[in-house]
Amino acid sequence: MKKIYITTPIYYPNAKPHLGHAYTNVVADFLTRLYRLFGMPAFFLTGTDEHGEKLEKKAAELGKSPKELVDEMSGQFREAWKKLAINYDRFIRTTDPDHEQVVRQILTKLWEKGEIYRGTYRGLYCVGCERYYKPSDLIDGKCPYHLKPVEEKRIPAYFFRLSNYRERLLQFYRENPDFIPAGRREEILNRVRELEDLCISRPKEQLRWGIELPFDREHVAYVWVDALMNYVSGAGYGTEKFDRIWPPDIQLMGKDIIWFHCVIWPALLMALDLKMPRRMVAHGFITVDGKKMSKSLGNVIDPLELADQFGTDFLRYLLLKLPFGEDGNIDKKGLPLIYDELANDVGNTVNRVLRLVSTVEAGKFEVDEELRKKADGLVARLRRLLENLRVEEIVRLYSTEVMDLIRGINAYLNEREPWKKEGEEKRNIILNAYETLLIAMALLSPVLVNGYAKFEKAVGRAELGRFGTNVRKPRMNRLILYPKRNV
Ligand code: MSP
């Protein structure tokens, strides 16, 4: 059976993971768990993008070798994901030997097919810096550091025949009208119509920290080509595992890297005769108190600190509540309120229902069709959305109807007042509420990972299906999932 293959961008480990990275990874992890909950096997890939100038420079600044820096920092990413319950199947590093091997193999293939050619790169060189600049880097036409004129140099470089793919890409977008995330389509199509070849190499005198081109050792691969190939190597290219994973089903990213993923990436795959990814899904940027996060504004939220303060489940809940696809704002002062919402809507409901269940006999009961229809309907809709890879709708459904399902249990109890009833009537109300809770908690398990683990200990495994004929008595009659915070 083909696995649902879910990817995130691989992050530059030049600084510790930030909230934007955590956002993508929480969404990816949530989706992976949700697919599995619905019985569909999934494969989740994330990792770090470790080559290139940014890393080389940062290492030099810190007096470290690039390898020392990336070893240390990619470790921090893995630690962070552990803390946020991000359960990836593989953490890929572009310095992993198998990845480097696949990049060399792919470059060789493209070179042999004539998809890559040797040409001339016209660059602006500063002798003082020993590097090339783009015209936009210069200040008054001069090197931004030395403020001296730069030399125009022509150097040999390697190009991918991206311009050959103009028509094929446009055709592909016509056949797959929602491949490019909504809102960006026109702009991207216009740029694709003017597509030029892509320089995919950097001379070693400019950049040493990269993968050498197998057909010219004096050049290293452009970092984006190296990075994009992680999705191929991470799926086990060249092994039999690859066929069970390829192509990617859901590729998540922030809106700033849509061009690379919707244009360069599919063109490279066409050149390699590999099947196209099924969906590209872009999210917006997170702002804090209405502003872009920045050190100078002092509004940066560290995802790990937030998890320390309010818990991992809270952070996941908070991020999944953001309007997916748009920029989402986090209001720092409002965080305790959102915590209370989680504690009340989920925590209190769980505790309340468990207490009630302990007052009646478990087993068979008479099903409340109306209540059950709601739960069944929601499960059926989610299944369809999952089959159609509708990530945006799925995330939206969580902050609305899935939360409504659990809130509805309280309303149901308040309306029916089982504590005022007796015998079978009382028992039926309580067990119907309990059954709905079991379905709602199963649905929430991909979000509230830690809370669900405690819940599972108390009641056994919650499932999506019907329990009407066989509800077992919970082991506990009290469970505080999200304790009151003393602030
Ligand atoms: N290494 C490349 C990706 C290569 S994928 C083959 C890269 N790395 S990155 O570390 O700079 O950032 C990765 C992701 O973080 C991007 O998807 C970007 O959109 C996201 N974000 C950066 N700041 C963000 C916010 N403030 N909010 C949400 N996401 C943000 O690009």
Side-chain angles (χ1 to χ4, degrees):
M1 189 181 193
K2 156 89 171 80
K3 291 188 177 174
I4 298 287
Y5 180 22
I6 300 173
T7 71
T8 72
I10 48 173
Y11 308 110
Y12 294 125
N14 57 341
K16 59 186 184 180
H18 68 65
L19 195 62
H21 303 151
Y23 183 35
T24 325
N25 277 38
V26 164
V27 174
D29 179 75
F30 156 73
L31 290 169
T32 307
R33 290 176 192 263
L34 191 58
Y35 274 104
R36 291 187 183 141
L37 177 68
F38 277 78
M40 296 177 245
F43 183 82
F44 166 19
L45 181 73
T46 188
T48 40
D49 185 357
E50 303 189 352
H51 290 122
E53 214 174 299
K54 235 193 261 271
L55 273 308
E56 194 175 63
K57 257 198 190 151
K58 184 77 191 181
E61 260 170 56
L62 298 171
K64 293 184 176 169
S65 72
K67 184 73 167 84
E68 275 168 342
L69 175 68
V70 297
D71 281 350
E72 184 185 313
M73 295 305 296
S74 78
Q76 285 198 27
F77 274 81
R78 278 190 305 265
E79 283 296 307
W81 302 152
K82 194 165 163 194
K83 180 155 184 172
L84 304 186
I86 306 295
N87 195 11
Y88 50 77
D89 293 288
R90 172 157 182 199
F91 186 96
I92 189 162
R93 304 178 55 187
T94 52
T95 54
D96 284 339
D98 67 329
H99 170 78
E100 294 192 347
Q101 183 53 34
V102 166
V103 172
R104 281 191 288 268
Q105 211 179 321
I106 278 172
L107 288 169
T108 304
K109 188 164 173 181
L110 294 174
W111 173 247
E112 285 169 355
K113 283 180 77 180
E115 297 282 354
I116 292 176
Y117 63 92
R118 187 179 161 100
T120 315
Y121 177 81
R122 286 180 32 225
L124 304 164
Y125 192 73
C126 169
V127 186
C129 300
E130 292 187 78
R131 60 159 286 193
Y132 289 88
Y133 284 103
K134 295 195 290 273
S136 57
D137 297 330
L138 303 180
I139 299 176
D140 295 333
K142 293 176 180 163
C143 160
Y145 292 101
H146 296 86
L147 299 171
K148 286 191 184 146
V150 289
E151 250 175 83
E152 190 180 305
K153 266 204 190 181
R154 289 164 166 265
I155 45 158
Y158 293 85
F159 292 82
F160 168 56
R161 294 191 192 278
L162 185 58
S163 65
N164 277 1
Y165 288 89
R166 256 180 240 145
E167 281 316 310
R168 277 183 69 184
L169 283 170
L170 291 170
Q171 172 76 22
F172 176 71
Y173 302 141
R174 272 195 296 277
E175 287 164 6
N176 300 275
D178 72 3
F179 187 79
I180 303 173
R184 295 294 297 280
R185 196 174 148 84
E186 277 316 304
E187 167 221 331
I188 300 239
L189 290 184
N190 285 334
R191 281 173 72 192
V192 168
R193 293 188 185 105
E194 316 266 291
L195 212 52
E196 288 177 10
D197 289 347
L198 176 74
C199 182
I200 54 119
S201 67
R202 295 292 179 265
K204 272 202 180 156
E205 61 208 60
Q206 185 189 337
L207 174 68
R208 299 200 73 79
W209 182 236
I211 300 178
E212 281 175 0
L213 299 188
F215 41 84
D216 188 341
R217 292 283 158 85
E218 287 312 304
H219 298 257
V220 298
Y222 170 42
V223 67
W224 266 99
V225 171
D226 171 359
L228 286 167
M229 288 306 149
N230 94 84
Y231 304 132
V232 178
S233 59
Y237 185 68
T239 70
E240 48 106 35
K241 172 179 153 195
F242 190 71
D243 296 333
R244 268 176 281 132
I245 294 178
W246 198 262
D249 294 280
I250 296 174
Q251 300 210 267
L252 293 161
M253 72 202 73
K255 62 180 183 180
D256 54 329
I257 54 177
I258 290 178
W259 173 261
F260 295 96
H261 285 85
C262 290
V263 179
I264 297 174
W265 171 231
L268 284 167
L269 293 178
M270 286 172 183
L272 290 165
D273 297 314
L274 284 172
K275 272 202 205 132
M276 288 294 133
R278 293 177 63 208
R279 280 221 63 205
M280 296 293 158
V281 179
H283 61 72
F285 269 44
I286 300 177
T287 55
V288 174
D289 298 335
K291 300 193 185 73
K292 188 173 184 283
M293 265 186 280
S294 84
K295 283 197 191 117
S296 52
L297 286 175
N299 65 346
V300 176
I301 294 185
D302 179 337
L304 298 182
E305 277 174 26
L306 202 59
D308 274 338
Q309 210 182 341
F310 292 94
T312 292
D313 284 3
F314 168 81
L315 179 69
R316 297 170 64 100
Y317 177 74
L318 174 75
L319 292 173
L320 287 162
K321 248 176 99 81
L322 294 171
F324 192 90
E326 295 158 39
D327 290 346
N329 184 52
I330 292 178
D331 174 19
K332 269 192 174 168
K333 285 212 190 73
L335 294 176
L337 269 178
I338 298 181
Y339 182 87
D340 290 345
E341 176 184 300
L342 178 64
N344 291 330
D345 292 351
V346 179
N348 289 353
T349 309
V350 165
N351 198 38
R352 185 181 190 193
V353 174
L354 289 193
R355 269 183 8 233
L356 286 171
V357 175
S358 72
T359 65
V360 297
E361 282 293 312
K364 261 195 186 158
F365 63 97
E366 195 182 314
V367 171
D368 182 320
E369 289 300 338
E370 205 182 317
L371 196 61
R372 188 169 256 183
K373 246 205 237 140
K374 261 194 215 149
D376 284 354
L378 195 53
V379 169
R381 267 166 66 208
L382 274 168
R383 183 180 297 282
R384 257 197 315 278
L385 292 172
L386 285 164
E387 282 162 0
N388 296 317
L389 315 174
R390 303 313 311 173
V391 175
E392 301 82 345
E393 288 92 329
I394 292 168
V395 175
R396 219 169 298 139
L397 209 59
Y398 261 77
S399 51
T400 54
E401 290 174 57
V402 174
M403 285 308 290
D404 285 344
L405 184 68
I406 195 157
R407 285 185 205 116
I409 298 171
N410 272 321
Y412 179 80
L413 290 171
N414 292 343
E415 209 175 285
R416 309 281 162 120
E417 303 185 306
W419 44 89
K420 289 190 184 162
K421 310 270 161 64
E422 279 177 59
E424 268 313 281
E425 193 184 4
K426 171 180 182 171
R427 194 175 157 269
N428 273 330
I429 300 169
I430 292 174
L431 292 183
N432 272 296
Y434 182 45
E435 177 179 67
T436 309
L437 180 72
L438 288 171
I439 298 176
M441 285 305 285
L443 285 176
L444 285 168
S445 63
V447 186
L448 308 176
V449 174
N450 294 342
Y452 178 77
K454 290 182 194 155
F455 182 77
E456 194 176 40
K457 274 211 190 100
V459 308
R461 199 158 109 214
E463 283 175 44
L464 297 176
R466 304 183 157 206
F467 299 83
T469 51
N470 184 21
V471 213
R472 268 173 298 150
K473 200 168 185 82
R475 282 188 281 276
M476 301 182 205
N477 57 17
R478 198 183 129 80
L479 178 64
I480 306 294
L481 287 182
Y482 305 106
K484 276 247 169 308
R485 305 175 57 252
N486 2 316
V487 273

